[in-house]
């Protein structure tokens, strides 16, 4: 029907219909706008169109979508850190061995043992598995145990030594270091010890006072021992051949002899009397004799001297050596035994001491 032929009523009806049907009008308008958009937009895939519709114009377009196959996608892996190596087990083993070796120094052994155990623990905590660290730990423990045992042994030995010292003092005369001219003048000797010294002092007085009988005894001892020593060395020299009077030699030997009681050791019927003495040392005399002979060597070796003159030179050198040697400090100890309740000197023990001080052999 032509618009011109429409009556005002029809036109009003059409207008009313458009007014009363907004949905139809909106749908038609939307369809028209869509058609315009399609006509003005180049052909594109639905995914691209949808992506472009959701991305603001100010942001760059994303990269093309990657395949969704898990097998085709790369897997991210964090870089592996290098494994930390455990400390060396050698220090633990060495320290453990040293702890055992030095256990006789208790404190050192204990310290080294503890350090060895700590080093072994650090090694195992760091993941170490070598058996040498275990050996170091075991050695450290053994070193500590041995050090503790050494401490105990040293303590026991100290107590034993103190007990022995106390026992020795129980048999000793107090204040023995006091200068005592003779046993009779001593005010520091108890009655029991004094009885022991009384049995020995008369013999020592004979030496000190150069009793003729004692001088003869020493002279015989020195002459016999000198001749025996020369024969042993196949020198064929005798004291008489050297022109030495044995009595004069013995008298010079004991000149300046002195003594003082020191202590008594023993119990029951046997005891030992000990003295501090001043006496010439035969070892020092022989050293002096050697020096004398060295000085005469040129005369002896010259060949201008007879055999007897050589012997005489030796005798002269011996006497000079004795006279030029000063008495020296030493100790003198002899055995004493109780017989019928009275102390008596053991003469064999006395002879042994005389030979020690006055014999050349």
């Amino acid at each position: 029907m032509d618009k011109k032929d429409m009556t005002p009523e029809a036109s009003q009806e059409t207008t009313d219909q458009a007014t009363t049907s907004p949905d139809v009008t909106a749908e038609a308008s939307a369809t028209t706008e869509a058609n315009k958009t399609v006509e003005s937009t180049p052909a594109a895939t639905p995914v691209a169109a949808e992506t472009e519709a959701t991305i603001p114009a100010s942001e760059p377009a994303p990269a093309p979508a990657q395949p969704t196959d898990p097998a085709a996608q790369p897997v991210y892996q964090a870089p592996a850190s290098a494994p930390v190596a455990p400390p060396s087990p050698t220090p633990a083993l060495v320290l453990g061995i040293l702890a055992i070796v030095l256990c006789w120094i208790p404190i050192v052994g204990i310290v080294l043992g503890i350090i060895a155990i700590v080093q072994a623990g650090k090694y195992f905590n760091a993941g170490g598995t070598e058996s040498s660290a275990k050996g170091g730990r075991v050695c450290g423990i053994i070193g500590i145990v041995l050090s503790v045992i050494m401490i105990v042994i040293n303590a026991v030995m100290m107590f034993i030594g103190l007990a022995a010292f106390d026992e020795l003092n129980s048999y000793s005369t107090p204040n023995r270091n006091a200068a005592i001219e003779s046993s009779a003048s001593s005010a520091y000797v108890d009655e029991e010890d004094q009885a022991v010294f009384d049995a020995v002092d008369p013999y020592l007085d004979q030496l000190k006072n150069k009793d003729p009988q004692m001088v003869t005894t020493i002279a015989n001892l020195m002459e016999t021992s000198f001749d025996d020593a020369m024969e042993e060395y196949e020198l064929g020299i005798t004291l008489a051949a050297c022109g030495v009077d044995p009595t004069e030699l013995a008298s010079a030997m004991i000149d300046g002899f002195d003594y003082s009681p020191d202590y008594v050791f023993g119990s029951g019927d046997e005891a030992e009397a000990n003295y501090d003495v001043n006496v010439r040392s035969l070892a020092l005399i022989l050293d002096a004799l050697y020096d004398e002979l060295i000085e005469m060597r040129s005369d002896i070796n010259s060949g201008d001297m007879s055999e007897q003159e050589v012997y005489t030179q030796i005798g002269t050198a011996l006497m000079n050596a004795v006279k030029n040697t000063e008495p020296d400090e030493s100790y003198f100890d002899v055995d004493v035994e109780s017989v019928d309740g009275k102390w008596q000197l053991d003469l064999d023990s006395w002879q042994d001491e005389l030979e020690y001080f006055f014999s050349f052999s």
Side-chain angles (χ1 to χ4, degrees):
M1 181 176 63
D2 192 77
K3 290 182 179 180
K4 296 178 177 181
D5 296 335
M6 293 179 58
T7 63
E9 293 81 359
S11 176
Q12 182 66 35
E13 183 180 359
T14 304
T15 302
D16 294 338
Q17 186 176 1
T19 302
T20 57
S21 304
D23 293 338
V24 175
T25 304
E27 181 180 357
S29 176
T31 302
T32 304
E33 293 295 330
N35 291 335
K36 290 180 179 180
T37 302
V38 170
E39 291 175 358
S40 61
T41 303
T45 61
V47 175
E50 183 179 356
T51 302
E52 291 177 359
T54 58
I55 295 178
S58 60
E59 295 184 7
Q66 298 296 325
T68 59
D69 186 3
Q73 294 180 351
V75 180
Y76 173 77
Q77 294 183 353
S81 59
V84 179
S88 173
T90 303
L93 181 60
V94 172
L95 291 172
I97 295 174
L98 289 176
I100 296 176
V101 174
L102 299 178
C103 66
W104 61 277
I105 310 176
I107 301 302
V108 176
I110 291 175
V111 172
L112 291 177
I114 293 175
I115 297 176
I117 294 174
V118 171
Q119 291 293 329
K122 289 182 178 180
Y123 174 77
F124 287 123
N125 291 338
T129 59
E130 292 189 25
S131 60
S132 56
K134 183 177 180 181
R137 175 184 291 175
V138 173
C139 290
I141 295 173
I142 295 175
I144 293 174
V145 172
L146 292 178
S147 297
V148 173
I149 293 175
M150 290 301 297
I151 292 176
V152 174
I153 291 176
N154 290 335
V156 172
M157 294 299 295
M158 181 182 69
F159 285 122
I160 292 176
L162 291 175
F165 181 77
D166 291 339
E167 182 180 359
L168 176 63
N169 285 342
S170 66
Y171 294 112
S172 300
T173 301
N175 301 318
R176 289 288 196 246
N177 294 329
I180 302 174
E181 291 295 332
S182 65
S183 60
S185 64
S186 173
Y188 303 97
V189 181
D190 62 31
E191 183 177 353
E192 182 179 355
D193 288 349
Q194 184 62 62
V196 175
F197 288 131
D198 285 343
V200 181
D201 287 352
Y203 293 87
L204 292 174
D205 285 337
Q206 289 179 356
L207 280 173
K208 180 179 178 179
N209 300 324
K210 293 185 179 181
D211 179 80
Q213 183 177 355
M214 183 59 66
V215 172
T216 300
T217 300
I218 301 300
N220 293 334
L221 174 60
M222 297 193 74
E223 181 178 21
T224 302
S225 62
F226 182 87
D227 294 349
D228 290 344
M230 295 300 104
E231 183 179 356
E232 181 178 353
Y233 289 105
E234 299 180 355
L235 297 177
I237 303 174
T238 64
L239 201 60
C242 293
V244 176
D245 182 359
T247 303
E248 183 182 357
L249 176 62
S251 178
M253 191 71 182
I254 63 178
D255 188 30
F257 177 86
D258 200 1
Y259 72 94
S260 62
D262 189 12
Y263 64 89
V264 172
F265 180 78
S267 61
D269 295 336
E270 296 181 353
E272 182 181 281
N274 293 266
Y275 292 83
D276 291 327
V277 297
N278 287 327
V279 62
R280 285 176 172 79
S281 169
L282 198 56
L284 295 179
I285 290 174
L286 293 177
D287 288 341
L289 174 61
Y290 177 78
D291 293 338
E292 291 275 349
L293 293 176
I294 289 297
E295 292 181 1
M296 297 186 301
R297 179 176 58 181
S298 58
D299 294 336
I300 295 175
N301 294 335
S302 65
D304 298 333
M305 300 176 63
S306 64
E307 185 176 281
Q308 183 57 50
E309 289 175 335
V310 172
Y311 291 165
T312 301
Q313 288 280 14
I314 294 174
T316 301
L318 176 59
M319 291 301 299
N320 289 338
V322 173
K323 293 177 181 179
N324 293 333
T325 301
E326 294 295 329
D328 195 14
E329 293 182 357
S330 187
Y331 62 91
F332 196 101
D333 56 81
V334 290
D335 296 333
V336 183
E337 56 185 359
S338 177
V339 179
D340 297 332
K342 185 177 180 179
W343 291 103
Q344 296 181 1
L345 174 64
D346 184 344
L347 295 179
D348 290 337
S349 175
W350 172 261
Q351 185 66 26
D352 289 341
E353 286 298 281
L354 292 182
E355 292 179 359
Y356 176 80
F357 285 103
F358 305 114
S359 175
F360 286 100
S361 57

